[in-house]
Amino acid sequence: MIETKRLSILLLACLFLSGCARLIPADLPPTSTPTATTSPTAPPTQTIAPTSTSVPPTPTSSPSTPTSAPPTLSALPLATPYSDQPAAGICAEYPGETVVTVEIMPDIPAPRCLKVTPDQRLKVINRVNATLALKLGNLSASLQPNADYTFDQPFGNLLAPGVHVLEASPYFGPEIWLVEP
């Protein structure tokens, strides 16, 4: 049992670190401090905080100059899966439910894998004594200890079919396996 738990933690650490490697430019020397950079081809990220509302930006151009509308969430590309099958082997399923729930724990998330459909949404409960930085597809949120947050967009608006990972930094989030109904 202990070896299985260690193997699970090692697997989740590898998944987390491989996701972090995408944020570090390859041309930086190993002793430098990594900084987040913005790629000109990267899709815009919409940040959603549970206690705030989004206010559209005020145009800075003159009234006679046409302005383009900001991209809508539906216009953003779907997040690419990292696999077709989950590493966890067994994934919790919630047929008929519109909201599926995961708890972020100090060791592993519960459940560690969710099999979901495009019309379902995700609720995250923070069971650690730290603020979590959540990221799912193009959405992100900050979640205080002992609080919960429900993403307002269904999985089908955020993710392409396949296996994704809910980022719950500095802890590990579950695998999310989006399947077509």
Side-chain angles (χ1 to χ4, degrees):
M1 176 69 179
I2 293 175
E3 289 300 317
T4 304
K5 192 172 187 179
R6 286 182 182 165
L7 183 59
S8 297
I9 291 171
L10 180 61
L11 175 64
L12 289 171
C14 290
L15 290 172
F16 176 76
L17 292 175
S18 68
C20 290
R22 292 180 283 161
L23 298 176
I24 303 171
D27 57 343
L28 283 179
T31 58
S32 67
T33 304
T35 57
T37 59
T38 304
S39 168
T41 59
T45 300
Q46 177 183 0
T47 301
I48 299 177
T51 58
S52 65
T53 59
S54 178
V55 178
T58 305
T60 57
S61 60
S62 65
S64 62
T65 306
T67 59
S68 62
T72 62
L73 188 60
S74 61
L76 296 176
L78 299 176
T80 305
Y82 75 88
S83 175
D84 292 333
Q85 299 288 316
I90 299 174
C91 292
E93 294 184 56
Y94 302 92
E97 294 187 32
T98 56
V99 176
V100 297
T101 303
V102 65
E103 296 179 73
I104 304 300
M105 311 279 220
D107 49 3
I108 59 173
R112 64 184 182 162
C113 180
L114 298 117
K115 188 174 184 180
V116 299
T117 58
D119 59 328
Q120 291 178 315
R121 295 182 301 132
L122 181 65
K123 177 180 180 179
V124 182
I125 301 173
N126 184 352
R127 300 283 187 213
V128 297
N129 290 327
T131 299
L132 298 175
L134 303 176
K135 185 169 186 315
L136 181 63
N138 291 318
L139 298 181
S140 61
S142 179
L143 184 57
Q144 298 298 316
N146 299 310
D148 63 72
Y149 178 75
T150 302
F151 285 91
D152 63 349
Q153 293 293 318
F155 292 111
N157 288 0
L158 303 171
L159 312 173
V163 180
H164 302 263
V165 174
L166 168 68
E167 295 177 32
S169 182
Y171 293 88
F172 302 105
E175 287 184 305
I176 297 175
W177 185 13
L178 177 61
V179 296
E180 294 296 327

